[in-house]
Amino acid sequence: MKVLVPVKRVVDYNVKIRVKPDGSGVDVANVKFSMNPFDEIAVEEAIRLKEAGKATEVVLVTIGPAKADETLRSGMAIGADRGIHVKTDELVEPLAVAKILAKIVAEEAPGLVILGKQAIDDDSNQTGQMLAALLGWGQGTFASKVEITEGSVDVTREVDGGLQTVTLKLPAVVTTDLRLNEPRYASLPNIIKAKKKEVAAKTPADYGVDITPRLEVLKTAEPPARKAGIKVGSVPELLEKLKTAGVL
Amino acid sequence: MTALIVAEVTESALAPSTAKALTAALQIGGGVHILVAGKNVGPAAEAAAKLSGVEKVLVADGAAYGHHLAEPLAALIVGLAGGYDAILAPSTSSSKNVLPRVAALLDVAQVSDIIKVVSADTFERPIYAGNAIQTVRSKDAKKVITVRTASFTATGEGGSAAIEAIGAGSDPSVSSFKSEALAKSERPELTAAKIIVSGGRGLASSENFKEYIEPVATRLGAAIGASRAAVDAGYAPNDLQVGQTGKVVAPDLYVAIGISGAIQHLAGMKDSKVIVAINKDEEAPIFQVADYGLVADLFPTLKELDAELAKAGR
Ligand SMILES: Cc1cc2nc3c(=O)[nH]c(=O)nc-3n(C[C@H](O)[C@H](O)[C@H](O)COP(=O)(O)OP(=O)(O)OC[C@H]3O[C@@H](n4cnc5c(N)ncnc54)[C@H](O)[C@@H]3O)c2cc1C
């Protein structure tokens, strides 16, 4: 079984982004980019399935600018076999991403697609569910455990009240939550080896997908700032303040 | 124009988050119907019919919807979608699972997690863990929207909508429920609580989490929250995680104990009315959002807090 893992290049999670003063967007010049953390977890899970003999090949896909090649390479450095780079400098919304992925799935015929549950830039949490919809497959979102059995997969999901386990027929779509695994670090020899792995260069037009945005961004603003608070010296003083504030 | 709200149902009851999504739908304007899908959801349907401004409640009662599986539920909603201009749901783990599936089947871009209705087609939503707010206009004829419940107050009762039973949709038969492990708690639900006492890695063990956080939370009638680090380390279960990828809360009082205040944690609680931080590191970023900060070792501080609250008769 082949496993397909879509990965996104995003602003690193440690960066506190700044909004451009003219409200036209977020200033991402000269900031560090990395693979979306949930996608790292997805790559790691796919590699573990391969190591366990459940998967035969791990194929990465990224949709993004030329620099997203680094994102593919970092996934191949921890063990993915090859990559597909759908090159575009446009912002591609989750629905269009899902449409491109559906076309790639038709070509590659994976038994499982593992995605991150959300990208930490647009925080949409949509792509995996949309891909499953377009393919007519089952979806195991927000996974904290994935167990492949004969012809199906059991996915334990983090839900509001606790945990839920569903059984999905294969092929299926899984999206990762934080506690599915802890991704490994790449070794230097593997980083070098990854540079030689095969990456197919494509464009959205190759798949006949219209990526025109459906959402028009009118403005990007700073969130309202909280006004600075005070330090209190003791527990009784704290309780006094809370009483005065009317919250106790 | 008419909107359909997909109700959040917990067991047989209507979750309070539904009335918050209703507020957003009423701001968009036009009529509002509510879909209540699940097993034995009569009581939830009756509660939905009482909400002010609701014209009709559709009830799909059946085992197929008992565990809110995305595949049959999305098929049901898509079957109804023709009659609606907008489909909304509160941003819960259930609707985050189902609504994007609905949107794709309808060939619509979902607007996730709106925090404000600007007009019938324009909304505000947070990006980058709430460090920027985007105003977006949906160009799709039909809107599919999830509503961040911390940003909307609940619509009250006062209605008497008709309740109409509807048949089941088709089940794609690609998924089935296997098991669940749901937390049972006497405490208020995290996203509906007025007070939240939250613990982080500073608690250092699950025993400490229990011994130090629980009594104070009990005295305050508070829900308990946790940081990701506390959940990852097993001090608290996953459903207590507050943050970018956990629950987003905005209680009257949020008490952060042994939590450093990473961007991803702040994303889930910085809209709380009053924030208290107890941390021994005076440089901890949590103090930048706290109204009242106490630089202290949390262990003796929490014992003292518990004793002082007891003295005050809480
Ligand atoms: C993709 C992604 C998503 C994430 N999503 C979330 C999320 O939803 N929610 C979330 O919370 N995090 C999330 N995180 C993790 C986040 O980045 C931080 O790692 C996490 O919030 C840290 O938790 P913490 O504050 O409990 O631990 P730490 O950062 O380790 O802080 C512990 C604090 O406790 C204090 N302390 C220790 N001992 C004591 C004592 N005896 N008395 C008083 N104070 C003490 C320390 O001074 C310190 O400030 C996410 C990270 C990523 C990459």
Side-chain angles (χ1 to χ4, degrees):
Chain A
M1 178 178 83
K2 199 189 277 183
V3 180
L4 189 73
V5 184
V7 294
K8 185 177 185 184
R9 177 177 184 266
V10 298
V11 172
D12 187 83
Y13 78 96
N14 278 312
V15 174
K16 184 160 186 321
I17 54 93
R18 279 216 308 264
V19 175
K20 290 184 192 163
D22 65 358
S24 64
V26 164
D27 189 357
V28 295
N30 306 317
V31 304
K32 184 181 175 208
F33 280 80
S34 306
M35 185 187 291
N36 180 41
F38 290 98
D39 304 351
E40 285 180 0
I41 296 171
V43 177
E44 174 67 33
E45 194 65 16
I47 293 164
R48 289 187 191 186
L49 288 174
K50 190 178 169 192
E51 288 168 346
K54 307 265 185 191
T56 50
E57 190 186 22
V58 177
V59 182
L60 305 184
V61 188
T62 194
I63 301 169
K67 284 211 165 138
D69 183 67
E70 292 165 10
T71 313
L72 289 176
R73 300 291 164 192
S74 67
M76 294 191 292
I78 64 167
D81 296 293
R82 62 186 168 89
I84 301 170
H85 188 169
V86 183
K87 279 192 189 152
T88 173
D89 289 325
E90 302 300 315
L91 211 125
V92 191
E93 290 176 348
L95 180 61
V97 170
K99 287 178 180 179
I100 293 171
L101 294 177
K103 292 283 172 64
I104 294 174
V105 165
E107 284 179 10
E108 294 281 341
L112 195 64
V113 183
I114 312 181
L115 308 87
K117 79 165 180 180
Q118 78 191 65
I120 60 163
D121 49 5
D122 63 31
D123 282 333
S124 289
N125 192 339
Q126 299 174 2
T127 305
Q129 297 88 315
M130 289 183 153
L131 176 62
L134 297 176
L135 297 169
W137 292 5
Q139 63 187 58
T141 52
F142 327 146
S144 64
K145 195 170 171 202
V146 174
E147 272 180 299
I148 308 277
T149 51
E150 202 51 51
S152 65
V153 56
D154 284 355
V155 181
T156 300
R157 310 178 49 238
E158 294 201 359
V159 296
D160 285 345
L163 297 169
Q164 179 193 58
T165 305
V166 294
T167 303
L168 309 173
K169 276 189 195 153
L170 289 175
V173 170
V174 167
T175 77
T176 61
D177 218 317
L178 295 169
R179 280 163 285 275
L180 181 58
N181 61 49
E182 218 170 295
R184 69 193 70 185
Y185 290 99
S187 67
L188 195 56
N190 285 341
I191 292 172
I192 293 163
K193 257 198 257 163
K195 296 202 168 124
K196 299 207 182 70
K197 288 187 179 173
E198 173 200 333
V199 171
K202 299 281 185 182
T203 65
D206 292 340
Y207 299 102
V209 173
D210 176 6
I211 61 166
T212 314
R214 307 284 191 86
L215 301 180
E216 185 187 352
V217 178
L218 302 178
K219 191 173 83 184
T220 304
E222 295 270 358
R226 284 190 80 91
K227 71 174 182 346
I230 57 163
K231 293 264 166 62
V232 292
S234 69
V235 169
E237 187 187 347
L238 173 64
L239 290 175
E240 202 47 54
K241 296 278 185 214
L242 294 179
K243 261 187 221 130
T244 314
V247 290
L248 269 196
Chain B
M1 100 153 242
T2 309
L4 179 69
I5 294 178
V6 182
E8 177 74 12
V9 183
T10 332
E11 292 179 6
S12 292
L14 187 71
S17 54
T18 309
K20 297 183 177 176
L22 172 59
T23 305
L26 292 170
Q27 287 173 2
I28 290 173
V32 178
H33 296 180
I34 296 189
L35 170 67
V36 179
K39 197 176 155 207
N40 301 328
V41 289
E46 276 163 37
K50 286 195 193 116
L51 291 175
S52 178
V54 177
E55 288 176 355
K56 189 154 80 174
V57 175
L58 305 175
V59 186
D61 207 318
Y65 308 117
H67 299 286
H68 314 289
L69 293 188
E71 300 81 0
L73 194 49
L76 176 74
I77 298 166
V78 169
L80 299 169
Y84 297 98
D85 305 289
I87 297 169
L88 295 94
S91 273
T92 58
S93 63
S94 172
S95 78
K96 286 179 189 167
N97 186 32
V98 176
L99 248 60
R101 191 172 177 106
V102 171
L105 293 172
L106 296 172
D107 194 26
V108 165
Q110 172 173 299
V111 189
S112 291
D113 253 347
I114 64 163
I115 57 171
K116 189 171 168 187
V117 175
V118 178
S119 72
D121 64 0
T122 304
F123 312 94
E124 287 185 4
R125 61 175 305 266
I127 56 173
Y128 287 95
N131 286 302
I133 309 293
Q134 251 183 3
T135 305
V136 295
R137 192 171 73 83
S138 163
K139 295 189 273 188
D140 287 309
K142 219 182 269 299
K143 320 281 184 241
V144 176
I145 297 166
T146 61
V147 178
R148 178 168 283 196
T149 53
S151 303
F152 292 86
T153 54
T155 295
E157 293 192 348
S160 57
I163 298 179
E164 186 182 306
I166 58 167
S170 61
D171 184 346
S173 303
V174 288
S175 58
S176 58
F177 170 79
K178 188 171 183 206
S179 63
E180 65 190 359
L182 299 184
K184 284 264 177 288
S185 169
E186 298 300 306
R187 296 180 194 283
E189 204 271 314
L190 200 48
T191 57
K194 287 206 168 357
I195 302 180
I196 295 173
V197 178
S198 237
R201 201 198 312 262
L203 269 300
S205 72
S206 58
E207 292 74 26
N208 287 343
F209 202 92
K210 242 183 145 54
E211 184 185 336
Y212 289 87
I213 299 285
E214 286 191 2
V216 171
T218 304
R219 288 204 194 279
L220 293 171
I224 293 179
S227 70
R228 174 193 173 182
V231 175
D232 284 2
Y235 306 167
N238 67 279
D239 51 295
L240 300 191
Q241 182 179 315
V242 170
Q244 180 183 20
T245 53
K247 287 181 179 142
V248 178
V249 299
D252 292 343
L253 175 60
Y254 188 92
V255 188
I257 298 164
I259 293 177
S260 61
I263 294 171
Q264 294 83 8
H265 188 79
L266 301 186
M269 44 64 77
K270 72 177 157 63
D271 292 331
S272 304
K273 213 175 274 166
V274 172
I275 296 173
V276 169
I278 300 173
N279 196 306
K280 67 178 181 192
D281 171 13
E282 65 175 320
E283 301 292 323
I286 190 74
F287 288 122
Q288 289 164 23
V289 301
D291 299 281
Y292 306 108
L294 185 52
V295 181
D297 186 335
L298 69 89
F299 296 110
T301 305
L302 283 187
K303 287 290 176 204
E304 189 186 350
L305 185 58
D306 184 46
E308 288 290 332
L309 288 170
K311 251 200 279 175
R314 305 273 315 208

